[in-house]
Amino acid sequence: MNAPLSTLELKTIPNDPPPDFKLIDFQRKSTVINFNTHVGPLYAKFGEKGTRDEFVMGLRVQPYMCNPAGTLHGGMLMTVADLVGGMGATTLAGIRGKFVPTVSMTFDFVAPARQGDWVEGRLELVRATRSLLFSHIYLTVGDTKVLRASCIVKVPSGDGWLADQGRAAKEQE
């Protein structure tokens, strides 16, 4: 018989990110809690422009991120790839301060990541237009690819989602 949820213990292991990785603060002093604040903890490091380490996202696979088979849940893999797709593409394209919504993504699950593994996500920016960023994303454990994804994100014109947020707030008044 399964234990009631109130008696279950949330087990974690030390995150121990490699050097130069910094915790991503999705909250950014906001009082609004959104989906990204529940994911992770996730880390990022920024390397030299034009290198494969220009933007790298990482995470330590925690027990609560795993599926019943004890491997990193596919939904978590896809979420991390989506975040790499937006944050990595804007970093490589030199776009700052804009939220870029995902237009399309495809995923290939290549190998499992297990509890305790350090997973890294890197992005290759394939093409950048005025309104779209096209990329390939790889999540790896060491030299082993665990997920491959293709991603297209929309670069909003003007203030983009900030303008939409303002309109939504006025509509609620």
Side-chain angles (χ1 to χ4, degrees), residues 48-122:
E48 186 177 332
K49 187 155 182 62
T51 67
R52 74 184 285 275
D53 288 342
E54 185 173 347
F55 175 83
V56 185
M57 184 177 287
L59 73 123
R60 180 75 58 201
V61 179
Q62 295 291 335
Y64 61 85
M65 298 174 181
C66 292
N67 59 30
T71 62
L72 186 59
H73 192 283
M76 184 66 179
L77 284 162
M78 291 188 292
T79 297
V80 172
D82 183 47
L83 290 167
V84 171
M87 295 171 72
T90 55
T91 299
L92 272 61
I95 299 170
R96 298 196 52 89
K98 284 199 178 195
F99 170 75
V100 289
T102 304
V103 174
S104 175
M105 279 195 92
T106 61
F107 303 93
D108 297 312
F109 300 94
V110 181
R114 300 188 189 320
Q115 179 181 312
D117 284 347
W118 177 257
V119 176
E120 292 186 351
R122 288 179 176 78

Side-chain angles (χ1 to χ4, degrees), residues 1 10 15 18 21 32 50 61 63 76 78 106 121-122 130 158 166 169:
M1 185 164 152
L10 180 64
N15 285 307
F21 277 89
V32 177
V61 179
M76 184 66 179
M78 291 188 292
T106 61
R122 288 179 176 78
R130 190 172 43 81

Side-chain angles (χ1 to χ4, degrees), residues 123-135:
L123 175 135
E124 173 195 357
L125 188 60
V126 176
R127 182 164 187 234
T129 69
R130 190 172 43 81
S131 61
L132 297 171
L133 302 175
F134 298 81
S135 62

